[in-house]
Amino acid sequence: MTRLPRDLPIVERDVVRLVVRDALDRILLFHTREITAPELGQWWELPGGGIDPGENHRQAALRELREETGITIEEEQIGAPNWTRDGSFRHRDVRHLQHEVVVEIRLAGPGPDIDDRFRLDYEKEDYFGFRWWPITEVVTSTDQFYPRRLPHLLTCFLDGETIDEPLEVWT
């Protein structure tokens, strides 16, 4: 069983992660880094964020997608939260423990460019690029991802399988 490190103060929260899939069968990933820990390198990450008090995961998905990408959608475009996971990582001298649900968002057309005007300041520093990845390239990539097992679980998730992933201590 993986244990949560006790190396930093812990912030625990509920989170929604988004597999944003366009009409060309590509998913949106952010190229990111932890500026206070350059030794971690760079990785590709699913969009998403915290579920605010009073929100459910669908409301948070709509808000997070708009804030991080500028993309607005209808609630009907959000799939079921059939992937659940706990993830932990260091970020800005805090250890995060996140209880995550992952949902698919289907776009009717090709993925647009990203509008980051509504991002938080730290997100503008951490996310330095984005890419609409063909699903087949994610599955075969040797790049680093968050969640780490994204390449292995993506096809199952998109096929509607239920995934209950144990704690991943990412950093």
Side-chain angles (χ1 to χ4, degrees), residues 26 29 76 89-90 98 117 126 160 167 171:
R26 302 177 303 173
L29 294 170
E76 299 79 46
F89 54 88
R90 296 179 353 226
Q98 298 192 152
R117 288 179 293 159
D126 293 349
L167 175 65
T171 59

Side-chain angles (χ1 to χ4, degrees), residues 16-30 45-48 61-62 64-66 68-73 77-79 102-112 114 130-135 138 150 154 157-158:
V16 63
R17 290 274 172 200
L18 314 172
V19 176
V20 184
R21 184 178 184 182
D22 76 359
L24 302 176
D25 253 358
R26 302 177 303 173
I27 67 166
L28 176 63
L29 294 170
F30 290 134
E45 182 171 302
L46 291 173
L62 292 169
E64 286 291 338
L65 184 64
R66 183 183 50 75
E68 291 188 354
T69 69
I71 299 170
T72 57
I73 60 165
Q77 292 172 261
I78 302 171
V102 184
V103 297
E104 180 184 8
I105 293 178
R106 293 298 302 260
L107 302 181
I114 299 306
F130 76 93
R131 179 176 169 206
W132 288 97
W133 283 66
I135 291 168
V138 173
L150 179 66
L154 182 60
F157 171 73
L158 294 174

Side-chain angles (χ1 to χ4, degrees), residues 15-131:
V15 167
V16 63
R17 290 274 172 200
L18 314 172
V19 176
V20 184
R21 184 178 184 182
D22 76 359
L24 302 176
D25 253 358
R26 302 177 303 173
I27 67 166
L28 176 63
L29 294 170
F30 290 134
H31 210 191
T32 191
R33 64 186 168 225
E34 165 54 88
I35 64 167
T36 64
E39 70 276 9
L40 297 177
Q42 302 171 356
W43 61 91
W44 295 94
E45 182 171 302
L46 291 173
I51 299 172
D52 289 342
E55 278 186 325
N56 61 41
H57 76 273
R58 298 175 78 75
Q59 293 163 328
L62 292 169
R63 179 183 49 74
E64 286 291 338
L65 184 64
R66 183 183 50 75
E67 287 176 0
E68 291 188 354
T69 69
I71 299 170
T72 57
I73 60 165
E74 300 297 323
E75 193 169 329
E76 299 79 46
Q77 292 172 261
I78 302 171
N82 58 336
W83 182 358
T84 57
R85 62 186 311 278
D86 288 332
S88 178
F89 54 88
R90 296 179 353 226
H91 185 253
R92 312 261 173 145
D93 299 321
V94 173
R95 173 154 300 282
H96 290 261
L97 172 59
Q98 298 192 152
H99 309 291
E100 300 180 355
V101 295
V102 184
V103 297
E104 180 184 8
I105 293 178
R106 293 298 302 260
L107 302 181
D113 283 339
I114 299 306
D115 175 357
D116 67 358
R117 288 179 293 159
F118 302 108
R119 280 193 189 155
L120 300 172
D121 288 341
Y122 78 86
E123 292 170 334
K124 290 180 180 179
E125 293 175 344
D126 293 349
Y127 302 151
F128 61 92
F130 76 93
R131 179 176 169 206

Side-chain angles (χ1 to χ4, degrees), residues 2 17 19 27 29 43-46 83-88 100 102 135 137-158 161-170:
T2 303
R17 290 274 172 200
V19 176
I27 67 166
L29 294 170
W43 61 91
W44 295 94
E45 182 171 302
L46 291 173
W83 182 358
T84 57
R85 62 186 311 278
D86 288 332
S88 178
E100 300 180 355
V102 184
I135 291 168
E137 287 185 27
V138 173
V139 170
T140 59
S141 178
T142 57
D143 284 12
Q144 187 165 261
F145 294 89
Y146 182 86
R148 183 173 282 126
R149 293 183 33 94
L150 179 66
H152 305 287
L153 297 175
L154 182 60
T155 302
C156 296
F157 171 73
L158 294 174
E161 292 184 30
T162 299
I163 300 168
D164 185 11
E165 195 177 4
L167 175 65
E168 172 189 38
V169 177
W170 201 82

